[in-house]
Amino acid sequence: NAGVTQTPKFQVLKTGQSMTLQCAQDMNHEYMSWYRQDPGMGLRLIHYSVGAGITDQGEVPNGYNVSRSTTEDFPLRLLSAAPSQTSVYFCASSYNRAMSSYNSPLHFGNGTRLTVT
Amino acid sequence: AQKVTQAQTEISVVEKEDVTLDCVYETRDTTYYLFWYKQPPSGELVFLIRRNSFDEQNEISGRYSWNFQKSTSSFNFTITASQVVDSAVYFCALSENTGTASKLTFGTGTRLQVTL
Protein backbone atom coordinates (compact mmCIF):
# COMPACT_ATOMS: atom_id res chain seq x y z
CA ASN A 1 0.00 0.00 0.00
CA ALA A 2 1.53 3.27 -1.12
CA GLY A 3 -0.96 5.47 0.76
CA VAL A 4 -1.03 9.04 -0.55
CA THR A 5 1.49 9.80 -3.28
CA GLN A 6 2.39 13.33 -4.33
CA THR A 7 4.49 14.36 -7.30
CA PRO A 8 6.73 16.19 -7.80
CA LYS A 9 8.56 16.60 -4.49
CA PHE A 10 10.15 19.88 -5.54
CA GLN A 11 9.24 22.41 -8.21
CA VAL A 12 10.47 25.84 -9.20
CA LEU A 13 8.24 28.00 -11.36
CA LYS A 14 8.49 31.45 -12.81
CA THR A 15 5.72 33.94 -12.22
CA GLY A 16 2.89 33.34 -14.67
CA GLN A 17 3.71 29.73 -15.42
CA SER A 18 1.15 27.01 -14.89
CA MET A 19 1.54 23.56 -13.45
CA THR A 20 -0.32 20.68 -11.88
CA LEU A 21 0.56 19.05 -8.59
CA GLN A 22 -0.40 15.42 -8.68
CA CYS A 23 -1.99 13.46 -5.84
CA ALA A 24 -3.04 9.83 -5.86
CA GLN A 25 -4.25 7.51 -3.12
CA ASP A 26 -4.75 3.77 -3.23
CA MET A 27 -6.86 3.36 -0.10
CA ASN A 28 -10.21 3.84 -1.83
CA HIS A 29 -10.78 6.97 0.25
CA GLU A 30 -13.63 9.10 -0.96
CA TYR A 31 -12.45 12.30 0.72
CA MET A 32 -9.38 14.13 -0.55
CA SER A 33 -8.02 17.57 0.16
CA TRP A 34 -5.17 19.98 -0.48
CA TYR A 35 -3.47 22.05 2.19
CA ARG A 36 -0.67 24.56 2.02
CA GLN A 37 1.81 25.05 4.80
CA ASP A 38 3.47 28.39 5.34
CA PRO A 39 5.81 29.42 8.17
CA GLY A 40 3.91 30.56 11.24
CA MET A 41 0.52 29.82 9.67
CA GLY A 42 0.05 26.12 10.12
CA LEU A 43 -1.82 24.26 7.41
CA ARG A 44 -4.62 25.92 5.51
CA LEU A 45 -7.22 24.14 3.42
CA ILE A 46 -7.26 25.02 -0.27
CA HIS A 47 -9.84 22.69 -1.84
CA TYR A 48 -11.43 19.40 -0.95
CA SER A 49 -13.54 16.67 -2.52
CA VAL A 50 -15.98 14.23 -1.01
CA GLY A 51 -16.10 11.99 -4.06
CA ALA A 52 -15.56 11.74 -7.78
CA GLY A 53 -17.11 14.73 -9.53
CA ILE A 54 -17.58 16.72 -6.31
CA THR A 55 -15.23 19.49 -5.19
CA ASP A 56 -15.53 22.48 -2.90
CA GLN A 57 -13.46 25.41 -1.74
CA GLY A 58 -11.55 25.60 1.48
CA GLU A 59 -10.07 28.56 3.30
CA VAL A 60 -7.62 29.77 0.62
CA PRO A 61 -8.89 28.66 -2.82
CA ASN A 62 -7.92 31.68 -4.94
CA GLY A 63 -5.40 30.90 -7.66
CA TYR A 64 -6.01 27.17 -7.54
CA ASN A 65 -8.27 24.78 -9.42
CA VAL A 66 -9.06 21.16 -8.72
CA SER A 67 -10.99 18.34 -10.32
CA ARG A 68 -11.86 14.84 -9.22
CA SER A 69 -12.54 12.58 -12.17
CA THR A 70 -11.63 9.38 -10.32
CA THR A 71 -11.65 8.26 -6.70
CA GLU A 72 -7.88 7.84 -6.75
CA ASP A 73 -6.67 11.16 -8.16
CA PHE A 74 -7.04 14.76 -7.03
CA PRO A 75 -4.73 17.11 -8.96
CA LEU A 76 -4.19 20.72 -7.94
CA ARG A 77 -3.69 23.22 -10.76
CA LEU A 78 -1.98 26.56 -10.59
CA LEU A 79 -3.09 28.46 -13.69
CA SER A 80 -0.74 31.44 -13.33
CA ALA A 81 1.77 31.03 -10.55
CA ALA A 82 2.52 33.95 -8.24
CA PRO A 83 5.29 34.36 -5.65
CA SER A 84 2.60 34.28 -2.95
CA GLN A 85 2.01 30.65 -3.88
CA THR A 86 5.49 29.67 -2.76
CA SER A 87 4.71 27.08 -0.12
CA VAL A 88 4.72 23.43 0.82
CA TYR A 89 1.63 21.67 -0.46
CA PHE A 90 0.14 18.61 1.16
CA CYS A 91 -2.48 16.31 -0.23
CA ALA A 92 -4.51 14.32 2.30
CA SER A 93 -7.24 11.72 2.17
CA SER A 94 -9.58 10.05 4.58
CA TYR A 95 -12.32 7.48 4.56
CA ASN A 96 -15.71 9.14 4.15
CA ARG A 97 -19.03 7.42 4.54
CA ALA A 98 -21.87 9.77 5.34
CA MET A 99 -21.76 11.27 8.83
CA SER A 100 -19.98 8.44 10.54
CA SER A 101 -16.61 9.24 9.08
CA TYR A 102 -16.32 12.99 9.18
CA ASN A 103 -13.96 12.47 12.06
CA SER A 104 -11.61 10.17 10.18
CA PRO A 105 -7.99 11.12 10.54
CA LEU A 106 -6.33 12.50 7.46
CA HIS A 107 -3.61 10.51 5.77
CA PHE A 108 -1.06 12.90 4.32
CA GLY A 109 1.28 12.66 1.38
CA ASN A 110 4.91 13.68 1.79
CA GLY A 111 4.39 17.14 0.37
CA THR A 112 5.50 19.19 -2.63
CA ARG A 113 7.80 22.14 -2.05
CA LEU A 114 6.95 24.83 -4.60
CA THR A 115 8.98 27.96 -5.21
CA VAL A 116 7.69 30.70 -7.50
CA THR A 117 10.26 33.28 -8.58
CA ALA B 1 -15.55 30.42 12.96
CA GLN B 2 -13.42 27.68 14.32
CA LYS B 3 -10.02 28.46 15.73
CA VAL B 4 -7.11 26.52 17.17
CA THR B 5 -4.46 28.33 19.18
CA GLN B 6 -1.05 26.92 19.95
CA ALA B 7 0.51 29.76 21.85
CA GLN B 8 3.91 28.11 22.22
CA THR B 9 5.83 28.75 19.04
CA GLU B 10 8.97 26.92 20.09
CA ILE B 11 10.01 24.89 23.11
CA SER B 12 13.49 23.63 23.94
CA VAL B 13 14.08 20.94 26.54
CA VAL B 14 16.90 18.67 27.56
CA GLU B 15 16.44 14.97 26.98
CA LYS B 16 14.49 13.17 29.71
CA GLU B 17 12.58 16.27 30.69
CA ASP B 18 8.79 16.22 30.55
CA VAL B 19 7.16 18.75 28.24
CA THR B 20 3.57 19.83 27.67
CA LEU B 21 2.32 21.32 24.43
CA ASP B 22 -0.76 23.48 24.81
CA CYS B 23 -3.76 23.61 22.50
CA VAL B 24 -6.83 25.79 22.97
CA TYR B 25 -9.74 25.67 20.56
CA GLU B 26 -12.93 27.52 19.72
CA THR B 27 -15.98 25.97 18.11
CA ARG B 28 -19.76 26.29 18.09
CA ASP B 29 -20.24 22.62 17.25
CA THR B 30 -21.41 20.33 20.03
CA THR B 31 -19.86 17.33 18.31
CA TYR B 32 -16.32 17.69 17.14
CA TYR B 33 -13.00 15.93 17.04
CA LEU B 34 -9.57 17.04 18.06
CA PHE B 35 -6.34 15.73 16.61
CA TRP B 36 -2.63 15.92 17.14
CA TYR B 37 -0.17 15.51 14.27
CA LYS B 38 3.61 15.33 14.35
CA GLN B 39 5.85 16.72 11.62
CA PRO B 40 9.44 15.51 12.05
CA PRO B 41 12.34 17.22 10.27
CA SER B 42 11.80 14.94 7.28
CA GLY B 43 8.57 16.84 6.63
CA GLU B 44 5.81 14.24 6.58
CA LEU B 45 2.73 14.62 8.78
CA VAL B 46 2.07 11.78 11.17
CA PHE B 47 -1.26 11.26 12.89
CA LEU B 48 -0.91 10.80 16.66
CA ILE B 49 -4.34 10.86 18.24
CA ARG B 50 -8.02 11.67 17.75
CA ARG B 51 -10.40 12.57 20.56
CA ASN B 52 -14.12 13.18 20.27
CA SER B 53 -15.96 15.89 22.15
CA PHE B 54 -17.91 13.44 24.28
CA ASP B 55 -14.91 11.64 25.66
CA GLU B 56 -12.98 13.62 28.24
CA GLN B 57 -10.95 10.73 29.52
CA ASN B 58 -7.25 11.31 29.42
CA GLU B 59 -5.31 9.01 27.17
CA ILE B 60 -1.83 7.58 27.56
CA SER B 61 0.20 5.90 24.88
CA GLY B 62 3.70 5.04 26.01
CA ARG B 63 5.47 8.31 26.79
CA TYR B 64 2.64 10.34 25.26
CA SER B 65 -0.44 11.49 27.12
CA TRP B 66 -3.29 13.81 26.27
CA ASN B 67 -5.47 15.90 28.57
CA PHE B 68 -8.81 16.97 27.11
CA GLN B 69 -10.84 19.48 29.13
CA LYS B 70 -14.03 20.84 27.60
CA SER B 71 -14.46 23.33 30.44
CA THR B 72 -11.32 25.16 29.32
CA SER B 73 -11.51 24.16 25.62
CA SER B 74 -8.07 22.67 25.83
CA PHE B 75 -6.45 19.53 24.49
CA ASN B 76 -2.91 19.46 25.81
CA PHE B 77 -0.22 16.98 24.88
CA THR B 78 2.48 15.81 27.28
CA ILE B 79 5.64 13.93 26.41
CA THR B 80 7.22 12.22 29.39
CA ALA B 81 10.96 11.66 29.47
CA SER B 82 11.49 13.37 26.14
CA GLN B 83 13.95 11.99 23.62
CA VAL B 84 15.86 13.56 20.76
CA VAL B 85 13.60 11.68 18.33
CA ASP B 86 10.67 13.69 19.67
CA SER B 87 12.10 16.80 18.05
CA ALA B 88 9.45 17.90 15.58
CA VAL B 89 6.69 20.38 14.93
CA TYR B 90 3.45 19.35 16.56
CA PHE B 91 0.08 20.47 15.25
CA CYS B 92 -3.24 20.46 17.03
CA ALA B 93 -6.32 20.37 14.79
CA LEU B 94 -10.09 20.66 15.17
CA SER B 95 -12.69 19.11 12.89
CA GLU B 96 -15.56 21.09 11.46
CA ASN B 97 -18.73 19.17 10.86
CA THR B 98 -20.19 20.16 7.49
CA GLY B 99 -22.25 17.02 7.31
CA THR B 100 -20.35 15.46 4.44
CA ALA B 101 -16.70 16.29 4.82
CA SER B 102 -13.78 16.16 7.20
CA LYS B 103 -12.47 19.71 7.31
CA LEU B 104 -9.70 20.28 9.77
CA THR B 105 -8.60 23.61 11.16
CA PHE B 106 -4.98 23.47 12.25
CA GLY B 107 -3.11 25.47 14.81
CA THR B 108 0.12 27.17 13.84
CA GLY B 109 2.20 24.43 15.42
CA THR B 110 4.74 24.16 18.23
CA ARG B 111 8.32 23.35 17.36
CA LEU B 112 9.85 21.07 19.99
CA GLN B 113 13.62 20.81 20.18
CA VAL B 114 15.01 18.10 22.43
CA THR B 115 18.74 18.25 23.05
CA LEU B 116 21.19 15.96 24.79
Side-chain angles (χ1 to χ4, degrees):
Chain A
N1 248 353
V4 180
T5 302
Q6 289 184 237
T7 56
K9 292 185 179 180
F10 302 95
Q11 183 69 50
V12 179
L13 290 178
K14 293 184 177 179
T15 297
Q17 286 185 320
S18 63
M19 80 157 296
T20 299
L21 306 185
Q22 300 291 344
C23 176
Q25 53 87 12
D26 61 359
M27 298 174 282
N28 202 30
H29 284 172
E30 290 191 353
Y31 175 78
M32 297 184 74
S33 56
W34 279 100
Y35 285 84
R36 60 177 288 174
Q37 182 179 14
D38 301 293
M41 303 191 74
L43 286 91
R44 294 180 293 168
L45 181 63
I46 304 171
H47 286 285
Y48 66 97
S49 168
V50 297
I54 306 170
T55 64
D56 206 346
Q57 297 181 349
E59 180 184 355
V60 288
N62 292 341
Y64 308 95
N65 281 349
V66 291
S67 60
R68 185 91 179 273
S69 56
T70 67
T71 299
E72 293 78 20
D73 301 300
F74 190 45
L76 178 72
R77 298 184 184 84
L78 285 71
L79 298 179
S80 180
S84 61
Q85 294 178 306
T86 293
S87 186
V88 180
Y89 291 85
F90 286 96
C91 179
S93 72
S94 69
Y95 181 73
N96 184 39
R97 182 188 294 168
M99 287 292 295
S100 63
S101 63
Y102 83 95
N103 58 315
S104 297
L106 288 177
H107 298 264
F108 284 87
N110 287 333
T112 295
R113 185 174 294 275
L114 175 67
T115 302
V116 183
T117 62
Chain B
Q2 304 212 135
K3 186 177 180 181
V4 176
T5 301
Q6 295 181 256
Q8 304 152 307
T9 303
E10 190 161 346
I11 301 175
S12 292
V13 298
V14 177
E15 199 175 41
K16 298 183 182 177
E17 286 185 5
D18 298 346
V19 58
T20 295
L21 309 182
D22 298 332
C23 173
V24 175
Y25 62 92
E26 297 175 25
T27 181
R28 292 181 181 178
D29 290 346
T30 55
T31 301
Y32 53 88
Y33 284 76
L34 293 159
F35 301 80
W36 276 94
Y37 282 85
K38 174 182 179 180
Q39 187 176 42
S42 51
E44 73 272 23
L45 285 152
V46 180
F47 166 71
L48 294 178
I49 190 173
R50 172 183 64 214
R51 171 67 68 205
N52 76 55
S53 54
F54 296 106
D55 183 2
E56 290 194 66
Q57 286 188 350
N58 291 338
E59 182 157 340
I60 298 174
S61 176
R63 296 184 297 106
Y64 295 171
S65 62
W66 291 268
N67 185 331
F68 174 37
Q69 292 192 339
K70 286 183 74 172
S71 61
T72 57
S73 296
S74 65
F75 186 42
N76 297 336
F77 173 30
T78 297
I79 302 175
T80 303
S82 60
Q83 300 177 0
V84 172
V85 293
D86 295 326
S87 297
V89 180
Y90 291 87
F91 292 97
C92 181
L94 169 68
S95 68
E96 177 181 359
N97 180 8
T98 68
T100 59
S102 303
K103 295 175 66 176
L104 292 192
T105 298
F106 283 83
T108 53
T110 297
R111 181 178 300 276
L112 175 65
Q113 184 71 40
V114 182
T115 57
L116 293 173

